[in-house]
């Protein structure tokens, strides 16, 4: 028997998502768990960028996005992946960390099949979140991720 799609399923299809945002979040969280585990194994863990940091930033970003009318399809992956590449504070490449994270996140999302239409906005939100990068947040989504990270 035919079951008509739910409103959420219809909206996902219209937005180009092949999975629900909840399903995508599981993928993003797994990627961050992998990245933080690799970092801890190679150079010791950075408590400012542990798994709990990502959870707090994502939770805050969702709340801000809903109150500001920002696109969750951009905010959620950007919040999860904002520090995908963590450069130590004393490393000369520190100011490039958000650009490196933006590049790595875009590549990862493309490989996972995340809708291409959102990738540039996600990349910008990740790149602009960092104070040291001095990149102006030009979208509400970038401002949301930036604020969520700074509030942590």
């Amino acid at each position: 028997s035919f079951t008509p799609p739910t409103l959420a399923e219809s909206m996902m299809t219209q937005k180009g998502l092949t999975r629900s945002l909840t399903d995508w979040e599981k993928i993003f969280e797994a990627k961050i768990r992998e990245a933080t585990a690799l970092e801890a194994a190679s150079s010791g863990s950075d408590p400012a960028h542990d798994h709990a940091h990502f959870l707090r930033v994502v939770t805050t970003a969702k709340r801000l996005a809903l109150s500001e009318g920002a696109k969750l399809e951009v905010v959620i992956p950007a919040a999860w992946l904002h520090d995908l590449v963590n450069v130590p504070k004393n490393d000369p490449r520190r100011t490039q960390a958000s650009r490196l994270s933006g590049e790595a996140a875009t590549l990862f999302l493309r490989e996972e099949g995340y809708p291409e239409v959102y990738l540039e906005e996600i990349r910008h939100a990740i790149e602009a979140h960092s104070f040291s990068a001095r990149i102006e947040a030009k979208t509400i989504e970038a401002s949301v991720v930036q604020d969520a990270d700074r509030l942590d």
Side-chain angles (χ1 to χ4, degrees):
S1 70
F2 173 74
T3 305
T6 65
L7 178 60
E9 290 168 336
S10 296
M11 290 179 69
M12 278 177 28
T13 303
Q14 290 171 0
K15 294 180 178 192
L17 295 172
T18 54
R19 301 176 174 119
S20 71
L21 278 173
T22 302
D23 289 341
W24 277 111
E25 279 197 82
K26 292 173 188 170
I27 294 167
F28 306 149
E29 184 171 14
K31 182 66 173 175
I32 288 306
R33 282 189 184 277
E34 174 189 306
T36 54
L38 286 173
E39 179 192 343
S42 67
S43 62
S45 61
D46 175 1
H49 293 97
D50 63 4
H51 186 255
H53 165 72
F54 290 93
L55 289 173
R56 290 187 303 269
V57 171
V58 169
T59 299
T60 302
K62 286 179 186 177
R63 196 168 37 243
L64 291 171
L66 291 171
S67 70
E68 297 296 324
K71 290 181 252 181
L72 290 173
E73 301 83 9
V74 173
V75 169
I76 290 174
W80 272 112
L81 304 172
H82 75 281
D83 284 331
L84 184 56
V85 176
N86 187 15
V87 178
K89 294 205 182 292
N90 60 350
D91 190 300
R93 298 170 304 143
R94 179 66 181 171
T95 59
Q96 299 171 31
S98 66
R99 288 181 202 267
L100 295 170
S101 289
E103 290 171 12
T106 301
L107 184 65
F108 167 70
L109 291 168
R110 191 170 279 132
E111 287 172 356
E112 290 294 324
Y114 200 78
E116 189 75 30
V117 67
Y118 299 116
L119 297 186
E120 266 315 302
E121 289 180 277
I122 293 167
R123 181 182 183 136
H124 171 66
I126 292 171
E127 290 179 351
H129 93 273
S130 171
F131 180 78
S132 62
R134 299 176 191 251
I135 297 171
E136 179 187 352
K138 295 181 178 175
T139 65
I140 189 66
E141 292 77 18
S143 294
V144 162
V145 174
Q146 184 183 76
D147 289 350
D149 186 55
R150 290 181 184 175
L151 287 168
D152 189 55

